[in-house]
């Protein structure tokens, strides 16, 4: 008789333990698990959000009622969030109608609601496992869809989300698209999403936007130097940011014997000492811009952007004719004559630091005129052989 009682108690103990763990895993997904207290009372119990960077956003989320704490009265702001959990929070926060389903997982009604609202479709996350931890890129994708963007390119999600102030960097110039998402981060994104949907303009992490642009299409020139490459007159599909296509980054001989590849084109704001890409450059006294045999050392007050090109040959069956494993970069459309001392058009740059060899151009922010547009081109460097080139972007710029 004692043995039977012990067995029953053991089974009950395991059941209770399993129930508690499942409740903790999905505390915010089930109304039955919510603490039956007012939002103000709940917040006073969550000691682990006091002083947290997302405390205000968390408190707002609790007040709105789309997220809750756990039965042990912790909030766990740094706990990672699954795709299903984020979807539930987003659907609830946006007041999307959720229908009751007689069968399926706890999150099935929220997934169905998200699909009906057009903010999610099967395949959006690479695989169908919605209990996997959500990445930052997946979070951005759902947020961008919720804002109504259409015809979004692959990897463009984080650029659009950061441009609207919904996503910020994990460090200056770092966006961590494959990084996981915490409860605090998820709430911060949803709160910002709600603000943008209400018409509010949010502050933007410009370094995150630039990094997201590189992640999207291998350049940041349209984020770092928009007045040069993406000004207000660039409002059709053939100029400005819309003239840049990934297909243009690879080109070469028609027979395939020479195929060149642009890896990245990075713009650096010389007048922003916090620009994360400044670390790609040598120190100021070892960086010069060149005209013929004339060299000018970069000064602190030089109003300029530095454009760095990274490139290589995917195929080079004629190495004697194309001896350099990089491309030539040029920006055409500047008026006037080259000046030995004044930065009035694009000039080549050189590094005097052998540890940081770079290739690129310096272009002026002011003190120049144009023929009405600027074209950014890359071309092969040959020893008497045919040249192959690609016009990467065209921008209308009247000065």
């Amino acid at each position: 008789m004692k043995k039977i009682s012990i067995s029953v108690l053991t089974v009950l103990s395991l059941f209770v333990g399993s129930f508690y763990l499942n409740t903790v895993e999905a505390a915010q997904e089930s109304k039955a698990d919510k603490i039956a207290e007012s939002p103000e009372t709940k917040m006073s119990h969550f000691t682990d959000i006091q002083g947290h960077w997302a405390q205000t956003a968390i408190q707002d989320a609790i007040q709105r009622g789309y997220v809750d704490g756990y039965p042990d009265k912790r909030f766990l702001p740094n706990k990672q969030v699954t795709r299903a959990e984020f979807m539930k929070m987003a659907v609830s926060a946006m007041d999307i109608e959720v229908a009751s389903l007689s069968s399926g997982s706890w999150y099935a009604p929220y997934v169905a609601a998200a699909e009906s609202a057009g903010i999610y479709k099967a395949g959006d996350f690479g695989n169908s496992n919605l209990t996997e931890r959500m990445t930052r890129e997946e979070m951005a994708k759902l947020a961008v869809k919720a804002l109504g963007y259409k015809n979004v390119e692959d990897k463009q999600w984080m650029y659009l989300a950061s441009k609207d102030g919904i996503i910020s960097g994990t460090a200056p110039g770092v966006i961590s698209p494959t990084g996981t998402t915490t409860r605090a981060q998820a709430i911060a994104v949803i709160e910002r999403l709600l603000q943008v949907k209400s018409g509010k303009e949010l502050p933007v992490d410009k370094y995150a936007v630039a990094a997201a642009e590189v992640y999207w299409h291998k350049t940041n020139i349209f984020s770092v130097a928009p007045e040069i490459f993406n000004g207000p007159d660039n409002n059709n599909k053939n100029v400005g940011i819309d003239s840049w296509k990934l297909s243009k980054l690879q080109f070469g001989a028609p027979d395939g014997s020479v195929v060149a590849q642009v890896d990245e084109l990075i713009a650096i704001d010389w007048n922003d000492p916090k620009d994360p890409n400044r670390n790609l450059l040598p120190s100021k006294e070892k960086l010069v811009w060149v005209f013929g045999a004339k060299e000018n050392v970069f000064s602190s007050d030089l109003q300029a952007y530095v454009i760095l090109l990274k490139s290589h040959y995917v195929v080079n069956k004629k190495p004697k004719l194309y001896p350099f494993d990089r491309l030539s970069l040029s920006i055409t459309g500047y008026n006037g004559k080259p000046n030995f001392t004044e930065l009035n058009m694009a000039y080549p740059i050189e590094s005097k630091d052998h540890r940081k060899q770079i290739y690129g151009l310096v272009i002026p922010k002011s003190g120049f005129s144009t023929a009405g547009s600027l074209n950014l081109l890359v071309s092969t460097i040959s020893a008497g052989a045919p040249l192959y080139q690609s016009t990467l972007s065209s921008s209308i710029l009247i000065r």
Side-chain angles (χ1 to χ4, degrees):
M1 193 67 184
K2 288 182 179 179
K3 290 181 179 179
I4 294 173
S5 298
I6 290 171
S7 298
V8 170
L9 287 172
T10 300
V11 171
L12 285 172
S13 176
L14 289 171
F15 173 78
V16 171
S18 174
F19 176 79
Y20 177 77
L21 289 174
N22 289 335
T23 301
V24 168
E25 178 66 21
Q28 74 269 41
E29 292 80 20
S30 173
K31 291 182 179 179
D33 294 333
K34 289 186 177 180
I35 303 169
E37 297 173 313
S38 68
E40 293 81 5
T41 305
K42 291 175 186 177
M43 284 186 283
S44 68
H45 289 310
F46 302 142
T47 57
D48 58 350
I49 69 171
Q50 302 303 315
H52 193 277
W53 66 265
Q55 179 179 346
T56 300
I58 292 169
Q59 290 172 336
D60 288 344
I62 295 171
Q63 191 73 34
R64 293 182 196 274
Y66 68 83
V67 71
D68 205 346
Y70 290 84
D72 61 1
K73 297 187 177 180
R74 293 182 299 164
F75 189 83
L76 302 182
N78 299 321
K79 180 178 179 289
Q80 291 182 353
V81 169
T82 66
R83 296 160 169 171
E85 289 167 346
F86 183 83
M87 203 176 307
K88 183 268 176 186
M89 287 192 284
V91 165
S92 301
M94 289 186 287
D95 293 324
I96 297 173
E97 185 177 352
V98 180
S100 299
L101 297 179
S102 57
S103 62
S105 60
W106 66 262
Y107 53 81
Y110 301 102
V111 174
E115 289 178 320
S116 297
I119 65 173
Y120 167 76
K121 73 175 188 302
D124 274 354
F125 300 148
N127 62 47
S128 59
N129 186 357
L130 298 183
T131 61
E132 282 189 6
R133 302 310 183 195
M134 191 171 210
T135 68
R136 285 169 52 81
E137 185 172 22
E138 290 167 349
M139 180 170 59
K141 190 172 190 176
L142 193 147
V144 166
K145 284 193 168 188
L147 291 178
Y149 281 99
K150 305 295 182 183
N151 302 317
V152 179
E153 295 180 13
D154 185 36
K155 292 189 175 183
Q156 192 181 3
W157 307 102
M158 295 204 74
Y159 169 75
L160 295 171
S162 58
K163 184 172 66 70
D164 284 340
I166 292 175
I167 294 283
S168 55
T170 54
V174 180
I175 54 170
S176 307
T178 60
T180 52
T181 303
T182 66
R183 279 164 58 82
Q185 291 167 341
I187 289 168
V189 165
I190 291 172
E191 287 295 305
R192 293 170 192 160
L193 172 62
L194 295 176
Q195 292 178 65
V196 173
K197 286 179 70 67
S198 70
K200 184 176 181 180
E201 187 173 333
L202 300 181
V204 171
D205 179 349
K206 66 178 182 179
Y207 302 135
V209 177
E213 189 190 345
V214 174
Y215 178 68
W216 164 32
H217 60 193
K218 309 296 185 182
T219 191
N220 64 359
I221 62 172
F222 305 104
S223 298
V224 175
E227 77 280 18
I228 304 295
F229 297 106
N230 198 40
D233 292 325
N234 294 277
N235 51 15
N236 66 61
K237 293 295 181 181
N238 298 315
V239 292
I241 193 170
D242 291 318
S243 68
W244 182 277
K245 304 295 181 184
L246 286 173
S247 59
K248 296 180 180 180
L249 302 188
Q250 190 172 104
F251 61 97
D255 63 0
S257 60
V258 176
V259 180
Q261 173 72 49
V262 173
D263 300 315
E264 282 186 345
L265 190 72
I266 303 297
I268 302 168
D269 187 345
W270 178 250
N271 307 110
D272 180 3
K274 294 183 179 180
D275 188 318
N277 289 312
R278 282 288 288 264
N279 62 9
L280 299 175
L281 301 175
S283 58
K284 181 179 63 177
E285 63 275 6
K286 293 187 177 182
L287 181 62
V288 300
W289 54 280
V290 181
F291 178 72
K294 174 70 174 178
E295 295 181 351
N296 292 281
V297 177
F298 273 64
S299 61
S300 298
D301 59 354
L302 182 68
Q303 298 296 305
Y305 293 109
V306 176
I307 313 293
L308 297 184
L309 174 66
K310 296 180 182 178
S311 61
H312 73 286
Y313 284 101
V314 178
V315 178
N316 187 0
K317 296 181 179 179
K318 302 176 181 180
K320 291 184 178 180
L321 296 177
Y322 300 92
F324 299 101
D325 191 27
R326 69 165 176 83
L327 299 172
S328 173
L329 173 67
S330 61
I331 301 176
T332 64
Y334 289 100
N335 281 335
K337 295 181 179 180
N339 190 301
F340 288 95
T341 57
E342 182 183 3
L343 183 64
N344 60 351
M345 58 180 59
Y347 288 96
I349 58 173
E350 290 183 6
S351 169
K352 298 301 181 180
D353 184 346
H354 69 275
R355 296 168 300 178
K356 279 195 174 181
Q357 291 303 301
I358 55 175
Y359 174 72
L361 302 172
V362 58
I363 61 173
K365 289 183 176 180
S366 58
F368 67 90
S369 65
T370 73
S373 66
L374 293 180
N375 294 309
L376 192 152
L377 304 93
V378 286
S379 62
T380 55
I381 304 171
S382 76
L387 293 178
Y388 306 106
Q389 71 175 27
S390 178
T391 301
L392 301 184
S393 75
S394 299
S395 59
I396 298 174
L397 186 63
I398 302 171
R399 288 196 182 184

